[in-house]
Amino acid sequence: MTDNVNAYPATDGVAPDRWASALHLFDNGVGVPHEETTVERWERAGLLFEARDYSAAAKLLAVVVEEAPEQTGPRLLLARAYYHSAQLKRAEEQLRVIVERDPVEHYAHLMLGRTLQRQGRQDEAEPWLRMAGAFAGEFPDDE
């Protein structure tokens, strides 16, 4: 009998979303379908993001944000997933919602500036990048 566990390559193994789903395979008993909670979707989206499957993470995070629109964490990760999957308009929309709701969320300012830069909108990006720098304690020289 061969050892099938060790024959399965660790680097090309089960996709993160399938692994997260498998963690709850027997929660409700055999044959009872498991209804994934918002928290479980959030966890699975995080695994997809870490695995650099940004498009799949964005699809899942969009559902999480819809279910918990007041939460900044999922919305910020959704914006990052959109940014990394070159869905820049969508990233911009999410980041503008964040800075409107939480004007001191410094990372959202930085990401919004970078998102605008990546779209070739440097003039619009500058105030957001300056604000992010100010939050980080980086002030321009007054010379």
Side-chain angles (χ1 to χ4, degrees):
M1 179 176 208
T2 61
D3 186 3
N4 289 335
V5 172
N6 291 329
Y8 200 74
T11 56
D12 287 330
V14 176
D17 62 327
R18 295 187 76 200
W19 175 249
S21 297
L23 292 176
H24 302 288
L25 190 59
F26 302 105
D27 285 353
N28 298 330
V30 177
V32 178
H34 174 73
E35 180 73 28
E36 190 175 43
T37 67
T38 303
V39 171
E40 290 168 337
R41 277 189 279 283
W42 163 245
E43 290 171 350
R44 189 160 55 98
L47 291 171
L48 288 165
F49 188 89
E50 288 175 17
R52 297 184 177 162
D53 190 350
Y54 302 119
S55 294
K59 287 177 187 174
L60 196 54
L61 285 162
V63 174
V64 172
V65 166
E66 186 177 305
E67 293 173 344
E70 71 285 351
Q71 296 294 320
T72 300
R75 190 176 298 275
L76 188 56
L77 191 58
L78 174 59
R80 291 177 63 200
Y82 281 150
Y83 178 87
H84 288 298
S85 61
Q87 300 178 61
L88 301 177
K89 289 287 188 187
R90 289 179 173 178
E92 179 184 347
E93 290 170 7
Q94 295 303 318
L95 291 164
R96 288 190 186 278
V97 170
I98 293 169
V99 297
E100 183 179 307
R101 290 182 182 176
D102 187 359
V104 295
E105 176 54 63
H106 67 280
Y107 190 67
H109 287 266
L110 176 63
M111 282 219 43
L112 181 54
R114 295 294 163 99
T115 300
L116 292 168
Q117 275 182 330
R118 198 165 162 197
Q119 294 178 68
R121 298 159 57 191
Q122 185 63 35
D123 291 342
E124 289 180 67
E126 285 303 320
W128 298 105
L129 295 173
R130 278 196 307 274
M131 183 67 79
F135 283 133
E138 301 166 3
F139 300 101
D141 294 331
D142 291 332
E143 295 178 19

